[in-house]
Amino acid sequence: AQSVTQPDARVTVSEGASLQLRCKYSYSGTPYLFWYVQYPRQGLQLLLKYYSGDPVVQGVNGFEAEFIKSNSSFHLRKASVHWSDSAVYFCAVSASSSFSKLVFGQGTSLSVVP
Amino acid sequence: GPKVLQIPSHQIIDMGQMVTLNCDPVSNHLYFYWYKQILGQQMEFLVNFYNGKVMEKSKLFKDQFSVERPDGSYFTLKIQPTALEDSAVYFCASSFGGANTEVFFGKGTRLTVV
């Protein structure tokens, strides 16, 4: 069965600083990997996804993530954060054979401070 | 972008009563999902639904739960009877295709069973 671990429940960074949110997954097959963001009182929005090919995938708003198979990781990065990036970020994995059944991590709450 | 609408945003129900959570998925989508998130925990898959049938369900999808989409209208999650442990935020989602297509989420319905 698939599982996702986001080891950092809360992360605080200064505006303009770089960001990395960690995600490790467990799945024996070929995973589909996702990062979603949830702003207050909003639904989940897809930031980026990895299916195959280039292990570094670009997403919206300057976010990117790198799939490292040997480490079972899919960390999210951003070079320079903005206060509007404050939100909860969820990493998720989907089995390639399923009907988009997503397994989520527990989420990382990001606070960007002045 | 495409929106999944969930009505109502918050519902309070007496334990043992029936509740129906409504979801208006993206209009041309064919796959529908419910996820459950208990406060402070990760979002967990409940069920997916395609072509009028449940395709896959998790162990969280108890016998008291049912889903349907009568006549292509709202996609509903019914809980009958409700229990205290059903208190959570329920997220509806939809996608056009299966495993490799984007899943769109609603804002969630917070269900409180008292």
Side-chain angles (χ1 to χ4, degrees), chain B residues 59-97:
Chain B
K59 62 182 186 301
L60 297 178
F61 194 78
K62 303 182 297 184
D63 291 343
Q64 298 90 325
F65 288 30
S66 62
V67 291
E68 63 177 355
R69 191 178 187 226
D71 302 322
S73 59
Y74 284 157
F75 175 52
T76 62
L77 173 65
K78 183 185 294 185
I79 309 174
Q80 181 178 27
T82 51
L84 294 177
E85 61 265 27
D86 297 330
S87 295
V89 180
Y90 291 84
F91 291 91
C92 175
S94 70
S95 66
F96 180 75

Side-chain angles (χ1 to χ4, degrees), chain A residues 32 43 98-100 102 104-106, chain B residues 31 33 35 42 56 98-100 106:
Chain A
Y32 291 169
S98 80
F99 292 89
S100 282
L102 293 167
F104 286 90
Q106 291 190 304
Chain B
Y31 296 79
Y33 316 84
Y35 286 80
Q42 64 212 90
E56 188 177 1
N100 59 352

